[in-house]
Coordinates of all heavy atoms in Angstrom, one line a residue:
M9 N -16.5 -16.5 2.9 CA -16.1 -15.5 2.1 C -16.6 -14.1 2.5 O -17.5 -14.0 3.2 CB -16.7 -15.7 0.6 CG -16.2 -17.0 0.1 SD -15.5 -16.7 -1.7 CE -15.4 -18.3 -2.2
E10 N -15.8 -13.2 2.1 CA -16.2 -11.8 2.4 C -16.4 -11.0 1.1 O -15.7 -11.3 0.1 CB -15.0 -11.1 3.2 CG -14.7 -11.8 4.5 CD -14.4 -10.9 5.6 OE1 -14.7 -9.7 5.5 OE2 -13.9 -11.6 6.6
T11 N -17.3 -10.0 1.1 CA -17.4 -9.2 0.1 C -16.6 -7.9 0.2 O -16.6 -7.3 1.2 CB -18.9 -8.8 -0.1 OG1 -19.6 -10.1 -0.1 CG2 -19.1 -8.0 -1.3
I12 N -15.9 -7.6 -0.9 CA -15.2 -6.4 -1.0 C -15.5 -5.6 -2.2 O -16.3 -6.0 -3.1 CB -13.7 -6.6 -1.1 CG1 -13.2 -7.3 -2.4 CG2 -13.2 -7.3 0.2 CD1 -11.7 -7.3 -2.7
Q13 N -15.2 -4.3 -2.3 CA -15.4 -3.5 -3.4 C -14.1 -3.2 -4.1 O -13.1 -2.8 -3.5 CB -16.0 -2.2 -3.0 CG -16.6 -1.3 -4.1 CD -17.5 -0.2 -3.6 OE1 -17.3 0.2 -2.5 NE2 -18.3 0.3 -4.5
V14 N -14.1 -3.4 -5.4 CA -12.9 -3.1 -6.2 C -13.2 -2.2 -7.4 O -14.2 -2.4 -8.0 CB -12.2 -4.4 -6.7 CG1 -10.9 -4.1 -7.6 CG2 -11.9 -5.3 -5.5
V15 N -12.5 -1.2 -7.5 CA -12.6 -0.2 -8.6 C -11.8 -0.5 -9.9 O -10.6 -0.7 -9.7 CB -12.4 1.2 -8.1 CG1 -12.6 2.2 -9.3 CG2 -13.2 1.6 -7.0
L16 N -12.5 -0.7 -10.9 CA -11.8 -1.1 -12.2 C -12.1 -0.1 -13.3 O -13.3 0.3 -13.3 CB -12.1 -2.5 -12.7 CG -11.9 -3.7 -11.7 CD1 -12.4 -5.0 -12.4 CD2 -10.5 -3.9 -11.5
D17 N -11.2 0.3 -14.2 CA -11.7 1.1 -15.3 C -12.4 0.2 -16.2 O -12.3 -1.0 -16.2 CB -10.4 1.7 -16.0 CG -9.5 0.7 -16.6 OD1 -9.9 -0.1 -17.3 OD2 -8.3 0.6 -16.1
S18 N -13.2 0.9 -17.1 CA -14.2 0.2 -18.0 C -13.6 -0.7 -18.9 O -14.1 -1.9 -19.1 CB -15.0 1.2 -18.6 OG -14.3 2.0 -19.5
K19 N -12.3 -0.5 -19.4 CA -11.7 -1.3 -20.3 C -11.2 -2.6 -19.6 O -11.4 -3.8 -20.1 CB -10.4 -0.7 -20.8 CG -9.8 -1.5 -22.0 CD -8.6 -0.7 -22.6 CE -7.8 -1.5 -23.5 NZ -6.7 -0.6 -24.1
L20 N -10.7 -2.5 -18.4 CA -10.4 -3.7 -17.6 C -11.6 -4.6 -17.2 O -11.6 -5.7 -17.3 CB -9.6 -3.4 -16.3 CG -9.0 -4.4 -15.5 CD1 -8.2 -5.4 -16.4 CD2 -8.2 -3.9 -14.3
L21 N -12.7 -3.9 -17.0 CA -13.9 -4.6 -16.5 C -14.4 -5.4 -17.6 O -14.8 -6.5 -17.6 CB -14.9 -3.6 -15.9 CG -16.3 -4.2 -15.6 CD1 -16.1 -5.3 -14.6 CD2 -17.2 -3.1 -15.2
R22 N -14.4 -4.8 -18.9 CA -14.9 -5.5 -20.2 C -14.0 -6.7 -20.4 O -14.5 -7.7 -20.7 CB -14.9 -4.6 -21.2 CG -16.1 -3.6 -21.2 CD -16.2 -2.9 -22.7 NE -15.1 -2.2 -23.1 CZ -14.7 -1.0 -22.8 NH1 -15.4 -0.2 -22.0 NH2 -13.7 -0.5 -23.3
A23 N -12.7 -6.6 -20.2 CA -11.6 -7.7 -20.5 C -12.0 -8.7 -19.4 O -12.0 -9.9 -19.8 CB -10.4 -7.2 -20.4
T24 N -12.3 -8.3 -18.2 CA -12.5 -9.3 -17.1 C -13.8 -10.1 -17.5 O -13.8 -11.4 -17.3 CB -12.7 -8.5 -15.9 OG1 -11.5 -7.9 -15.5 CG2 -13.0 -9.6 -14.6
D25 N -14.8 -9.4 -17.9 CA -16.1 -10.1 -18.2 C -16.0 -11.1 -19.4 O -16.5 -12.1 -19.4 CB -17.1 -9.1 -18.4 CG -17.7 -8.4 -17.1 OD1 -17.4 -8.9 -16.0 OD2 -18.3 -7.3 -17.3
R26 N -15.1 -10.6 -20.3 CA -14.9 -11.5 -21.6 C -14.2 -12.8 -21.1 O -14.5 -13.8 -21.5 CB -14.1 -10.7 -22.6 CG -15.0 -9.7 -23.5 CD -14.3 -9.3 -24.8 NE -12.9 -8.7 -24.5 CZ -12.7 -7.5 -24.1 NH1 -13.7 -6.6 -24.0 NH2 -11.5 -7.0 -23.9
A27 N -13.2 -12.5 -20.3 CA -12.4 -13.7 -19.8 C -13.3 -14.6 -19.0 O -13.1 -15.9 -19.0 CB -11.2 -13.3 -19.1
A28 N -14.1 -14.1 -18.1 CA -15.0 -14.9 -17.4 C -15.9 -15.6 -18.2 O -16.1 -16.9 -17.9 CB -15.8 -13.9 -16.4
R29 N -16.5 -15.1 -19.3 CA -17.4 -15.8 -20.2 C -16.5 -17.0 -20.9 O -16.9 -18.2 -20.9 CB -18.0 -15.0 -21.2 CG -19.2 -14.2 -20.6 CD -19.9 -13.5 -21.7 NE -19.1 -12.6 -22.5 CZ -18.9 -11.3 -22.2 NH1 -19.4 -10.8 -21.1 NH2 -18.2 -10.4 -22.9
R30 N -15.3 -16.7 -21.3 CA -14.4 -17.7 -22.0 C -14.1 -18.9 -21.2 O -14.1 -20.0 -21.5 CB -13.2 -17.1 -22.5 CG -13.3 -16.3 -23.8 CD -11.9 -16.2 -24.4 NE -10.8 -15.7 -23.6 CZ -10.5 -14.4 -23.1 NH1 -11.3 -13.5 -23.7 NH2 -9.6 -14.2 -22.4
T31 N -13.9 -18.6 -19.8 CA -13.5 -19.6 -19.0 C -14.7 -20.2 -18.2 O -14.5 -21.1 -17.2 CB -12.4 -19.0 -17.8 OG1 -13.0 -17.9 -17.2 CG2 -11.1 -18.7 -18.6
K32 N -15.9 -19.8 -18.6 CA -17.2 -20.2 -17.9 C -17.0 -20.1 -16.4 O -17.4 -21.0 -15.6 CB -17.5 -21.6 -18.3 CG -17.6 -21.9 -19.8 CD -17.9 -23.2 -20.2 CE -18.5 -23.4 -21.5 NZ -17.5 -23.2 -22.6
Q33 N -16.6 -19.0 -15.9 CA -16.6 -18.6 -14.5 C -17.4 -17.3 -14.4 O -17.6 -16.5 -15.2 CB -15.1 -18.3 -14.0 CG -14.2 -19.4 -14.1 CD -12.8 -19.0 -13.6 OE1 -12.3 -18.1 -14.1 NE2 -12.2 -19.8 -12.7
N34 N -17.8 -17.0 -13.0 CA -18.3 -15.7 -12.9 C -17.2 -14.7 -12.6 O -16.0 -15.2 -12.4 CB -19.4 -15.8 -11.7 CG -18.9 -16.1 -10.5 OD1 -17.7 -15.6 -10.0 ND2 -19.5 -16.9 -9.7
R35 N -17.5 -13.6 -12.6 CA -16.4 -12.3 -12.5 C -15.6 -12.6 -11.2 O -14.4 -12.6 -11.1 CB -17.1 -11.1 -12.5 CG -16.1 -10.0 -12.5 CD -16.8 -8.7 -12.3 NE -17.7 -8.4 -13.5 CZ -18.7 -7.4 -13.4 NH1 -19.0 -6.9 -12.3 NH2 -19.5 -7.2 -14.5
S36 N -16.3 -12.9 -10.0 CA -15.7 -13.0 -8.8 C -14.7 -14.1 -8.8 O -13.6 -14.1 -8.3 CB -16.7 -13.2 -7.7 OG -17.6 -12.1 -7.5
A37 N -15.1 -15.4 -9.4 CA -14.2 -16.5 -9.4 C -12.9 -16.2 -10.1 O -11.9 -16.5 -9.9 CB -14.9 -17.7 -9.9
L38 N -13.2 -15.5 -11.3 CA -12.0 -15.2 -12.1 C -11.1 -14.3 -11.4 O -9.9 -14.5 -11.5 CB -12.5 -14.5 -13.5 CG -11.4 -14.1 -14.3 CD1 -10.9 -15.2 -15.1 CD2 -11.8 -13.0 -15.3
V39 N -11.7 -13.2 -10.8 CA -10.7 -12.4 -9.9 C -10.0 -13.0 -8.8 O -8.9 -12.8 -8.7 CB -11.5 -11.0 -9.6 CG1 -10.7 -10.3 -8.6 CG2 -12.0 -10.3 -10.7
R40 N -10.8 -14.0 -8.1 CA -10.2 -14.7 -7.1 C -8.8 -15.5 -7.6 O -7.8 -15.6 -7.1 CB -11.0 -15.6 -6.4 CG -11.9 -14.9 -5.4 CD -12.7 -16.0 -4.5 NE -13.6 -16.8 -5.3 CZ -14.7 -16.7 -5.6 NH1 -15.4 -15.5 -5.3 NH2 -15.6 -17.5 -6.4
D41 N -9.0 -16.3 -8.8 CA -8.2 -17.0 -9.4 C -6.9 -16.3 -9.7 O -5.7 -16.6 -9.5 CB -8.7 -17.9 -10.5 CG -9.5 -19.0 -10.2 OD1 -9.6 -19.3 -8.9 OD2 -10.2 -19.5 -11.0
A42 N -7.2 -15.1 -10.4 CA -6.1 -14.2 -10.9 C -5.2 -13.7 -9.7 O -4.0 -13.7 -9.8 CB -6.8 -13.0 -11.6
L43 N -6.0 -13.3 -8.7 CA -5.4 -12.9 -7.4 C -4.3 -14.0 -6.8 O -3.3 -13.6 -6.4 CB -6.3 -12.3 -6.5 CG -5.7 -11.5 -5.2 CD1 -4.8 -10.5 -5.8 CD2 -6.8 -10.9 -4.4
R44 N -5.0 -15.1 -6.7 CA -4.2 -16.2 -6.2 C -3.1 -16.5 -7.1 O -1.8 -16.7 -6.4 CB -5.1 -17.5 -6.1 CG -5.9 -17.7 -5.0 CD -6.6 -19.1 -5.0 NE -7.8 -19.0 -4.3 CZ -9.0 -19.1 -4.7 NH1 -9.2 -19.1 -6.1 NH2 -10.0 -19.0 -3.9
H45 N -3.1 -16.4 -8.4 CA -2.0 -16.6 -9.2 C -1.0 -15.5 -9.1 O 0.3 -15.9 -8.9 CB -2.5 -16.7 -10.8 CG -1.5 -16.8 -11.7 ND1 -0.7 -18.0 -11.9 CD2 -0.9 -15.8 -12.6 CE1 0.2 -17.7 -12.9 NE2 0.0 -16.5 -13.2
H46 N -1.4 -14.3 -9.0 CA -0.4 -13.2 -8.8 C 0.2 -13.2 -7.5 O 1.5 -13.0 -7.4 CB -1.2 -11.8 -9.0 CG -0.4 -10.6 -8.8 ND1 0.5 -10.4 -9.9 CD2 -0.1 -9.7 -7.9 CE1 1.1 -9.2 -9.4 NE2 0.8 -8.9 -8.3
L47 N -0.5 -13.6 -6.3 CA 0.3 -13.7 -5.0 C 1.2 -14.8 -5.1 O 2.4 -14.7 -4.4 CB -0.8 -13.9 -4.1 CG -1.8 -12.7 -3.8 CD1 -2.9 -13.1 -2.8 CD2 -1.0 -11.6 -3.3
K48 N 0.9 -16.0 -5.7 CA 1.9 -17.1 -5.8 C 3.2 -16.7 -6.7 O 4.3 -16.9 -6.3 CB 1.3 -18.1 -6.4 CG 2.2 -19.5 -6.6 CD 2.4 -20.0 -5.2 CE 3.3 -21.4 -5.2 NZ 3.8 -21.6 -4.0
K49 N 2.9 -15.9 -7.7 CA 4.0 -15.4 -8.6 C 4.9 -14.4 -7.6 O 6.1 -14.5 -7.7 CB 3.5 -14.5 -9.8 CG 4.4 -14.1 -10.6 CD 3.9 -13.4 -11.8 CE 4.9 -12.7 -12.7 NZ 4.3 -12.0 -13.8
L50 N 4.3 -13.5 -7.0 CA 5.1 -12.7 -6.0 C 5.9 -13.4 -5.1 O 7.0 -13.0 -4.7 CB 4.1 -11.7 -5.3 CG 3.5 -10.5 -6.1 CD1 2.5 -9.8 -5.3 CD2 4.6 -9.8 -6.8
E51 N 5.3 -14.4 -4.4 CA 6.0 -15.3 -3.5 C 7.0 -15.8 -4.1 O 8.3 -16.1 -3.5 CB 5.0 -16.3 -3.0 CG 5.7 -17.3 -1.8 CD 4.7 -18.3 -1.4 OE1 3.6 -18.5 -1.9 OE2 5.2 -19.1 -0.5
T52 N 7.0 -16.5 -5.3 CA 8.0 -17.2 -6.0 C 9.2 -16.2 -6.3 O 10.2 -16.4 -6.1 CB 7.6 -17.8 -7.4 OG1 6.5 -18.8 -7.0 CG2 8.7 -18.5 -8.1
Q53 N 8.9 -14.9 -6.8 CA 9.8 -14.0 -7.0 C 10.6 -13.5 -5.8 O 11.8 -13.4 -5.9 CB 9.2 -12.7 -7.7 CG 8.7 -12.8 -9.0 CD 7.8 -11.7 -9.6 OE1 7.3 -10.8 -8.7 NE2 7.7 -11.6 -10.8
E54 N 9.9 -13.4 -4.5 CA 10.6 -13.0 -3.3 C 11.6 -14.1 -3.0 O 12.7 -13.9 -2.5 CB 9.5 -12.9 -2.3 CG 8.8 -11.6 -2.5 CD 7.6 -11.5 -1.5 OE1 7.3 -12.4 -0.6 OE2 6.8 -10.5 -1.7
L55 N 11.1 -15.5 -3.1 CA 12.1 -16.5 -2.9 C 13.3 -16.6 -3.8 O 14.4 -16.9 -3.4 CB 11.3 -17.9 -2.9 CG 10.2 -18.1 -1.8 CD1 9.4 -19.3 -2.0 CD2 10.8 -18.2 -0.5
E56 N 13.1 -16.3 -5.0 CA 14.1 -16.3 -6.0 C 15.2 -15.2 -5.6 O 16.3 -15.4 -5.7 CB 13.6 -16.2 -7.5 CG 13.0 -17.4 -7.9 CD 12.3 -17.2 -9.2 OE1 12.1 -16.1 -9.7 OE2 11.8 -18.2 -9.8
A57 N 14.6 -14.1 -5.3 CA 15.5 -13.0 -4.9 C 16.3 -13.2 -3.6 O 17.4 -12.9 -3.5 CB 14.6 -11.7 -4.7
R58 N 15.5 -13.9 -2.6 CA 16.3 -14.3 -1.4 C 17.4 -15.3 -1.8 O 18.6 -15.1 -1.3 CB 15.4 -14.9 -0.5 CG 16.0 -15.3 0.9 CD 15.1 -16.3 1.6 NE 15.1 -17.6 0.9 CZ 14.4 -18.6 1.2 NH1 13.5 -18.5 2.1 NH2 14.5 -19.7 0.4
D59 N 17.1 -16.2 -2.6 CA 18.1 -17.2 -2.9 C 19.3 -16.5 -3.8 O 20.4 -16.8 -3.6 CB 17.5 -18.4 -3.9 CG 16.6 -19.3 -3.1 OD1 16.6 -19.2 -1.8 OD2 15.9 -20.1 -3.7
R60 N 18.9 -15.8 -4.7 CA 19.9 -14.9 -5.4 C 20.9 -14.2 -4.5 O 22.1 -14.2 -4.7 CB 19.3 -14.0 -6.4 CG 20.1 -13.5 -7.6 CD 19.4 -12.7 -8.5 NE 18.2 -13.3 -9.1 CZ 16.9 -13.1 -8.9 NH1 16.6 -12.1 -8.1 NH2 16.0 -13.7 -9.5
K61 N 20.3 -13.5 -3.7 CA 21.1 -12.6 -2.6 C 22.0 -13.6 -1.9 O 23.1 -13.2 -1.6 CB 20.2 -11.9 -1.7 CG 20.9 -11.0 -0.8 CD 20.0 -10.2 0.1 CE 20.6 -9.3 1.1 NZ 19.8 -8.7 2.0
G62 N 21.6 -14.8 -1.4 CA 22.3 -15.8 -0.7 C 23.5 -16.3 -1.4 O 24.6 -16.3 -1.0
Y63 N 23.3 -16.5 -2.8 CA 24.3 -17.1 -3.5 C 25.3 -15.9 -3.8 O 26.5 -16.3 -4.2 CB 23.7 -17.7 -4.8 CG 23.4 -19.1 -4.6 CD1 21.9 -19.4 -4.6 CD2 24.3 -20.2 -4.3 CE1 21.6 -20.7 -4.5 CE2 23.8 -21.5 -4.1 CZ 22.4 -21.7 -4.1 OH 22.0 -23.0 -3.8
Q64 N 24.9 -14.8 -4.0 CA 25.8 -13.5 -4.2 C 26.7 -13.3 -2.9 O 27.8 -13.0 -3.1 CB 25.1 -12.4 -4.6 CG 24.4 -12.5 -6.0 CD 23.5 -11.3 -6.3 OE1 23.0 -10.5 -5.5 NE2 23.1 -11.1 -7.6
T65 N 26.1 -13.4 -1.8 CA 26.7 -13.3 -0.5 C 27.8 -14.5 -0.4 O 29.0 -14.2 0.0 CB 25.8 -13.2 0.6 OG1 24.8 -12.1 0.3 CG2 26.5 -12.9 1.9
T66 N 27.3 -15.8 -0.6 CA 28.1 -16.9 -0.3 C 28.0 -17.8 -1.6 O 27.2 -18.6 -1.6 CB 27.7 -17.7 0.9 OG1 27.5 -16.8 2.1 CG2 28.6 -18.8 1.4
P67 N 28.9 -17.5 -2.6 CA 28.9 -18.2 -3.7 C 29.1 -19.8 -3.5 O 29.9 -20.1 -2.5 CB 29.9 -17.7 -4.7 CG 30.2 -16.3 -4.0 CD 29.8 -16.5 -2.6
A68 N 28.5 -20.7 -4.3 CA 28.8 -22.1 -4.2 C 30.3 -22.4 -4.4 O 30.9 -21.7 -5.3 CB 28.0 -22.9 -5.1
Q69 N 30.8 -23.3 -3.8 CA 32.2 -23.7 -4.0 C 32.2 -24.8 -5.2 O 31.3 -25.5 -5.3 CB 32.8 -24.3 -2.7 CG 32.8 -23.4 -1.5 CD 33.7 -22.1 -1.9 OE1 34.8 -22.1 -2.3 NE2 33.0 -21.0 -1.6
D70 N 33.4 -24.9 -5.9 CA 33.4 -25.8 -6.9 C 33.1 -27.3 -6.5 O 32.4 -28.0 -7.1 CB 34.9 -25.9 -7.6 CG 35.0 -24.6 -8.4 OD1 34.0 -24.0 -8.9 OD2 36.2 -24.3 -8.7
E71 N 33.6 -27.7 -5.3 CA 33.4 -29.1 -4.9 C 31.8 -29.3 -4.7 O 31.4 -30.4 -4.7 CB 34.2 -29.4 -3.7 CG 34.0 -28.6 -2.5 CD 34.9 -27.4 -2.4 OE1 35.7 -27.1 -3.4 OE2 34.9 -26.6 -1.5
E72 N 31.1 -28.3 -4.3 CA 29.7 -28.4 -4.0 C 28.9 -28.6 -5.4 O 28.0 -29.5 -5.4 CB 29.1 -27.1 -3.4 CG 29.6 -26.8 -2.0 CD 29.0 -25.6 -1.5 OE1 29.3 -24.5 -2.1 OE2 28.5 -25.5 -0.4
L73 N 29.4 -28.0 -6.4 CA 28.7 -28.2 -7.6 C 29.1 -29.5 -8.4 O 28.4 -30.0 -9.2 CB 29.1 -27.0 -8.5 CG 28.6 -25.6 -8.0 CD1 29.1 -24.5 -8.9 CD2 27.1 -25.7 -7.8
S74 N 30.4 -30.0 -8.1 CA 30.9 -31.1 -9.0 C 30.0 -32.5 -8.7 O 29.9 -33.3 -9.5 CB 32.3 -31.4 -8.6 OG 32.5 -31.7 -7.3
A75 N 29.3 -32.5 -7.6 CA 28.6 -33.7 -7.2 C 27.4 -33.8 -8.2 O 26.7 -34.8 -8.3 CB 28.1 -33.7 -5.7
W76 N 26.9 -32.7 -8.7 CA 25.7 -32.5 -9.6 C 26.0 -32.7 -11.0 O 25.0 -32.7 -11.9 CB 25.0 -31.3 -9.2 CG 24.3 -31.4 -8.0 CD1 24.9 -30.8 -6.7 CD2 23.2 -32.0 -7.5 NE1 24.0 -31.1 -5.7 CE2 23.0 -31.8 -6.2 CE3 22.1 -32.7 -8.1 CZ2 21.9 -32.3 -5.4 CZ3 21.1 -33.4 -7.5 CH2 21.0 -33.2 -6.1
E77 N 27.3 -32.7 -11.3 CA 27.7 -32.6 -12.9 C 27.2 -33.8 -13.7 O 26.6 -33.6 -14.7 CB 29.2 -32.6 -13.0 CG 29.7 -31.2 -12.5 CD 30.8 -30.7 -13.3 OE1 31.3 -31.4 -14.4 OE2 31.5 -29.7 -12.9
S78 N 27.1 -35.0 -13.0 CA 26.6 -36.2 -13.7 C 25.1 -36.1 -14.0 O 24.5 -36.5 -14.9 CB 26.9 -37.5 -13.0 OG 26.2 -37.5 -11.7
E79 N 24.4 -35.3 -13.2 CA 22.9 -35.1 -13.4 C 22.7 -34.1 -14.5 O 21.6 -34.1 -15.0 CB 22.4 -34.5 -11.9 CG 22.5 -35.5 -10.7 CD 21.8 -36.8 -11.1 OE1 20.6 -36.7 -11.6 OE2 22.2 -37.8 -10.4
A80 N 23.5 -33.2 -14.7 CA 23.4 -32.2 -15.7 C 23.8 -32.7 -17.2 O 23.5 -31.9 -18.2 CB 24.2 -30.9 -15.4
V81 N 24.4 -33.8 -17.2 CA 24.8 -34.3 -18.6 C 23.6 -35.0 -19.3 O 22.8 -35.8 -18.7 CB 25.9 -35.4 -18.3 CG1 26.4 -36.0 -19.8 CG2 27.1 -34.6 -17.7
W82 N 23.4 -34.7 -20.5 CA 22.4 -35.3 -21.4 C 22.8 -36.8 -21.6 O 23.9 -37.1 -22.0 CB 22.3 -34.6 -22.7 CG 21.7 -33.2 -22.6 CD1 22.4 -32.1 -22.6 CD2 20.3 -33.0 -22.6 NE1 21.3 -31.0 -22.5 CE2 20.1 -31.6 -22.5 CE3 19.1 -33.9 -22.6 CZ2 18.9 -31.0 -22.3 CZ3 17.9 -33.2 -22.4 CH2 17.7 -31.8 -22.3
P83 N 21.8 -37.7 -21.4 CA 22.1 -39.1 -21.6 C 22.4 -39.4 -23.1 O 21.8 -38.7 -24.0 CB 20.8 -39.9 -21.1 CG 19.8 -38.9 -21.2 CD 20.4 -37.4 -21.1
L84 N 23.4 -40.2 -23.4 CA 23.7 -40.6 -24.8 C 22.5 -41.6 -25.4 O 22.0 -42.4 -24.5 CB 25.1 -41.4 -24.8 CG 26.2 -40.4 -24.3 CD1 27.4 -41.3 -24.4 CD2 26.2 -39.2 -25.2
E85 N 22.2 -41.4 -26.5 CA 21.2 -42.3 -27.1 C 21.8 -43.7 -27.5 O 22.7 -44.0 -27.8 CB 20.5 -41.6 -28.2 CG 19.7 -40.5 -27.8 CD 19.1 -39.7 -28.9 OE1 18.5 -40.4 -29.8 OE2 19.0 -38.6 -28.9

């Protein structure tokens, strides 16, 4: 692990400390978890944007989608 310095305004620092106490983590662990979560979210957004762009450039053909229609149907009770 490496030590870094991060500047937070006092309101954000207080909220961070409260969340750390609620989750029974120290401040550093909470910030690490939050950063991991945020980075994963950014990665997901980038992948979704890439897929969206690809489908806009080359839309799926009807025959490609028809194979999945039976999977999208709700089962009868």
Side-chain angles (χ1 to χ4, degrees):
M9 294 239 189
E10 303 217 14
T11 302
I12 63 167
Q13 187 174 21
V14 177
V15 179
L16 303 175
D17 63 60
S18 58
K19 186 176 179 180
L20 183 56
L21 179 60
R22 285 192 307 273
T24 301
D25 287 340
R26 284 192 304 272
R29 282 192 300 275
R30 276 195 321 272
T31 59
K32 295 182 170 69
Q33 294 178 308
N34 63 43
R35 186 189 296 159
S36 293
L38 179 79
V39 171
R40 280 192 303 271
D41 287 349
L43 186 54
R44 278 188 202 102
H45 177 76
H46 183 71
L47 293 173
K48 183 66 176 166
K49 181 179 174 183
L50 287 177
E51 179 185 6
T52 300
Q53 289 172 342
E54 290 170 2
L55 292 172
E56 288 173 349
R58 184 197 67 190
D59 289 350
R60 192 175 306 108
K61 183 178 178 184
Y63 279 111
Q64 288 171 344
T65 304
T66 310
Q69 302 300 313
D70 286 341
E71 59 272 5
E72 293 175 311
L73 300 176
S74 63
W76 292 98
E77 291 213 9
S78 64
E79 298 296 325
V81 176
W82 287 96
L84 299 175
E85 292 184 41

